[in-house]
């Protein structure tokens, strides 16, 4: 009798541990869901002043957390949660590389927002080229393990370049197998690495290359002091909302008319607003926050665009939050001016 009781109790303990593990032990999947909707007056300050106007411009985000058996199972039955593998989320990058890329996208988003806001407010600025930002490194590259994702290449063979295209043209004009010296910044410290150029795959087959995926790394110089406090936020999708908050503070006028306005979309160099991922989750987050208007990237047509997805999400939520299609920064400003 005693043995049976002990076995029963052991079984209950094991069952309890299994249930606990389902809630606590991480598995190699991630759950994407509605993240935070954040008032940008708390994150951006222009010329040492705070945005005192009523209402708000808010960024919206997708929350990402490593899954457990319980959270993954729950997500399968949720309209606004998705389960993704690590490869789907990070595109084959390591966690460190993924974090570096998200930080770069956030920095680029800030620069684009500052540039567009200054341009719209007719304030002078200068764009400074810092070098080439490393987004990925081919495992066949002789610089693999030397240069890291997130580093900034500043010179090749001692030569500086005006932009990323000039650097690429220079390297393409060298010969496969040539040894080159690459100067780069790693954690703000200048370093050098030597290696041989490799033959690139299509569409540049036959041409010489370092074997890195790159993009121009720039910084804006302006007399306006624009400060961001965006720790633990990554990616490029807050560009539009950053721009609107900066612009309002630059012109010191009330664009919002006291309304809480959320939204999303990248801010491109030509003033267009780019498509982003996870907009259904961002609409859910904004609706939960009490926002009255949501700016959604319009795209070239209403088919398969963020605007269409956002409208569908709002309908599913039964929210009275207004979804407004935005193709350009001027679209957003014109809409706000009409609120008056």
């Amino acid at each position: 009798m005693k043995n049976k009781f002990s076995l029963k109790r052991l079984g209950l303990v094991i069952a309890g541990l299994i249930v606990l593990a389902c809630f606590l032990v991480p598995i190699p999947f991630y759950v994407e869901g509605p993240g935070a909707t954040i008032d940008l007056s708390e994150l951006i300050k222009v010329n040492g002043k705070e945005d005192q106007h009523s209402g708000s411009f808010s960024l919206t985000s997708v929350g990402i957390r490593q899954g457990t058996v319980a959270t993954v199972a729950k997500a399968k039955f949720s309209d606004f949660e998705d389960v993704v593998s690590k490869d789907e989320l990070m595109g084959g990058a390591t966690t460190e590389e993924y974090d570096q890329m998200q930080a770069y996208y956030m920095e680029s988003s800030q620069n684009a927002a500052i540039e567009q806001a200054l341009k719209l407010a007719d304030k002078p600025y200068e764009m400074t080229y810092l070098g080439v930002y490393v987004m990925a490194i081919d495992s066949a590259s002789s610089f693999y393990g030397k240069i890291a994702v997130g580093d900034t290449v500043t010179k090749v063979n001692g030569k500086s370049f005006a932009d990323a295209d000039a650097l690429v043209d220079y390297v393409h004009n060298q010969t496969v197998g040539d040894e080159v010296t690459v100067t780069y910044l790693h954690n703000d410290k200048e370093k050098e690495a030597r290696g041989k150029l490799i033959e690139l795959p299509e569409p540049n087959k036959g041409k010489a290359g370092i074997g890195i995926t790159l993009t121009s790394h720039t910084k804006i110089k302006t007399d306006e002091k624009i400060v961001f406090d965006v720790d633990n936020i990554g990616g490029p999708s807050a560009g539009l909302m950053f721009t609107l908050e900066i612009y309002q503070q630059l012109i010191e006028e009330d664009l919002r008319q006291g309304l809480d306005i959320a939204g999303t979309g990248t801010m491109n160099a030509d003033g267009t607003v780019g498509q982003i991922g996870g907009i259904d989750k961002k609409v859910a987050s904004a609706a939960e926050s009490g926002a009255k208007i949501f700016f959604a990237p319009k795209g070239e047509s209403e088919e398969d665009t963020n605007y269409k997805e956002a409208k569908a999400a709002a309908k599913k939520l039964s929210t009275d939050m207004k979804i407004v299609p935005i193709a350009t920064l001027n679209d957003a400003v014109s809409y706000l001016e009409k609120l008056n």
Side-chain angles (χ1 to χ4, degrees):
M1 190 75 172
K2 189 173 181 180
N3 284 341
K4 284 184 179 180
F5 179 74
S6 296
L7 287 172
K8 184 178 180 181
R9 186 161 60 181
L10 178 61
L12 288 172
V13 169
I14 292 172
L17 289 173
I18 292 172
V19 171
L20 196 62
C22 287
F23 283 90
L24 298 179
V25 177
I27 59 177
F29 289 93
Y30 291 80
V31 176
E32 295 181 334
T37 293
I38 304 172
D39 182 349
L40 289 174
S41 66
E42 300 172 6
L43 304 183
I44 300 173
K45 189 178 289 187
V46 177
N47 296 326
K49 299 177 183 178
E50 293 185 358
D51 182 351
Q52 300 289 350
H53 297 293
S54 58
S56 60
F57 286 128
S58 294
L59 68 78
T60 50
S61 64
V62 174
I64 302 172
R65 64 187 187 280
Q66 189 159 9
T68 64
V69 170
T71 58
V72 165
K74 172 181 170 293
K76 292 288 187 181
F77 297 95
S78 170
D79 288 333
F80 295 96
E81 289 186 320
D82 291 313
V83 178
V84 295
S85 68
K86 184 175 180 180
D87 277 350
E88 288 173 321
L89 177 66
M90 301 184 184
T94 66
T95 301
E96 183 181 359
E97 289 172 342
Y98 176 78
D99 290 342
Q100 287 276 9
M101 285 188 284
Q102 292 304 303
Y104 169 75
Y105 289 138
M106 173 52 69
E107 182 185 338
S108 295
S109 179
Q110 292 172 20
N111 277 338
I114 293 170
E115 180 182 21
Q116 293 304 313
L118 290 169
K119 191 183 294 184
L120 195 60
D122 199 23
K123 304 282 187 180
Y125 68 91
E126 180 185 347
M127 188 71 80
T128 304
Y129 173 74
L130 300 179
V132 168
Y133 193 89
V134 179
M135 303 293 288
I137 306 174
D138 192 323
S139 58
S141 170
S142 60
F143 292 90
Y144 187 81
K146 300 175 185 177
I147 298 174
V149 170
D151 290 347
T152 298
V153 173
T154 57
K155 298 176 184 177
V156 177
N157 288 340
K159 297 178 182 294
S160 299
F161 304 92
D163 53 35
D165 290 340
L167 184 150
V168 169
D169 287 343
Y170 172 78
V171 174
H172 280 179
N173 285 322
Q174 308 307 305
T175 303
V176 173
D178 281 356
E179 246 192 24
V180 296
T181 300
V182 174
T183 306
Y184 63 99
L185 298 175
H186 179 80
N187 293 332
D188 296 324
K189 293 182 179 178
E190 187 172 87
K191 296 188 174 185
E192 285 188 351
R194 284 190 64 77
K196 292 183 179 181
L197 298 178
I198 62 171
E199 181 178 343
L200 297 176
E202 295 292 352
N204 295 304
K205 190 168 178 61
K207 293 183 178 179
I210 298 170
I212 61 176
T213 303
L214 46 80
T215 187
S216 289
H217 192 181
T218 58
K219 187 175 182 178
I220 279 191
K221 287 186 177 181
T222 174
D223 291 335
E224 312 296 329
K225 187 179 180 183
I226 302 170
V227 179
F228 287 83
D229 181 13
V230 288
D231 290 343
N232 302 318
I233 303 174
S237 64
L240 170 63
M241 302 312 292
F242 280 163
T243 308
L244 292 173
E245 178 63 38
I246 295 167
Y247 178 61
Q248 169 155 295
Q249 292 191 42
L250 283 170
I251 63 174
E252 299 184 33
E253 293 178 13
D254 185 5
L255 292 173
R256 298 185 296 252
Q257 304 301 315
L259 294 173
D260 291 321
I261 301 172
T264 189
T266 64
M267 192 74 259
N268 300 327
D270 59 358
T272 57
V273 177
Q275 304 283 296
I276 53 87
I279 197 165
D280 57 331
K281 301 162 187 62
K282 296 180 179 185
V283 168
S285 172
E288 177 68 23
S289 77
K292 298 301 180 186
I293 295 172
F294 187 94
F295 286 160
K298 181 181 179 182
E300 294 182 2
S301 72
E302 288 192 16
E303 293 303 312
D304 301 319
T305 68
N306 284 164
Y307 174 54
K308 183 179 179 181
E309 295 173 67
K311 284 201 302 182
K315 184 176 180 180
K316 196 175 289 186
L317 289 161
S318 299
T319 177
D320 60 359
M321 179 175 66
K322 186 174 183 180
I323 309 297
V324 179
I326 301 294
T328 67
L329 174 59
N330 285 333
D331 284 352
V333 173
S334 294
Y335 179 86
L336 293 168
E337 288 173 346
K338 289 173 185 174
L339 288 176
N340 201 17

